Amino acid sequence: MSNTQNVTTDGAAWLSSAGTYPRSTLAFWCERPDAPVVLPCGTAFDVVNAPALFGRRMLDRLWEEGPGSGPVAVFRGRMLLFAAPGTAQRLPSLLTWEEWGRTGGVPPLLCHGTGDAVTVPAFTGDDSPAPGGSRWLVAPDTRHPWLPGPEILLWAAVRAARAGVRISIFPPTDQDAKVYDVSRRR
């Protein structure tokens, strides 16, 4: 997985292209590179917002078994996976169709698309998270980053859910059953 922690100049240009006033956003970041910024979703990117542990398992699947990920941030204990525009509209229906939303294997994923906005971490920083716990795990480093679509994120969510499930060939134990030690039989 990429160890990029800081947004490059090209990555900042891509992020700011999501806003109504990209040059103003870039100027703000140049003046205050340690400040997080709120950006609209739906044009340059969508965001799939997952609980931290489950999001980390999704990210691991994307890098270990799949094509990798686009930019990924942590904000207030949640994982923000940047995705292709349109993902926020399509992913929930794919999860429902696959019945993963009803089985409890995949926790509710918040999908931010057109009409939504997200707070992105600071432009630069060290490995330590900002006061709100925000930081880049995979920072944007190009003007045209690869962004996973809904099918790839569905694949990662299903694989992450399966990774969290222990499968046993033994039936569950009956908690009220009497247990006898038969190892000392005569």
Side-chain angles (χ1 to χ4, degrees):
M1 180 167 52
S2 172
N3 288 331
T4 306
Q5 296 292 327
N6 297 326
V7 177
T8 65
T9 304
D10 285 344
W14 170 71
L15 281 170
S16 64
S17 74
T20 308
Y21 305 104
R23 290 190 308 185
S24 296
T25 302
L26 278 175
F28 175 75
W29 259 335
C30 287
E31 188 177 306
R32 298 213 32 225
D34 59 335
V37 174
V38 176
L39 293 174
C41 299
T43 55
F45 55 80
D46 280 3
V47 171
V48 175
N49 181 334
L53 182 59
F54 188 79
R56 185 60 196 210
R57 288 198 320 240
M58 283 180 66
L59 186 60
D60 289 346
R61 296 293 72 75
L62 285 166
W63 281 99
E64 292 170 8
E65 302 169 17
S69 73
V72 178
V74 174
F75 184 73
R76 293 190 177 172
R78 302 219 19 126
M79 186 86 63
L80 306 177
L81 295 114
F82 285 69
T87 298
Q89 181 180 358
R90 183 90 174 103
L91 183 58
S93 60
L94 288 174
L95 284 166
T96 301
W97 184 73
E98 288 281 340
E99 298 185 353
W100 281 94
R102 288 186 286 176
T103 63
V106 174
L109 302 176
L110 304 175
C111 296
H112 306 289
T114 303
D116 297 324
V118 294
T119 301
V120 299
F123 180 66
T124 60
D126 56 18
D127 289 346
S128 61
S134 67
R135 64 188 166 98
W136 288 102
L137 293 179
V138 180
D141 59 359
T142 178
R143 287 181 187 263
H144 305 285
W146 177 79
L147 298 171
E151 294 83 6
I152 291 171
L153 289 170
L154 171 69
W155 171 88
V158 168
R159 297 259 177 331
R162 287 181 182 158
V165 175
R166 278 191 70 208
I167 298 173
S168 173
I169 60 171
F170 301 105
T173 58
D174 182 357
Q175 298 298 326
D176 295 326
K178 301 243 188 254
V179 178
Y180 301 97
D181 181 5
V182 294
S183 62
R184 298 185 200 189
R185 265 194 179 172
R186 294 183 195 193

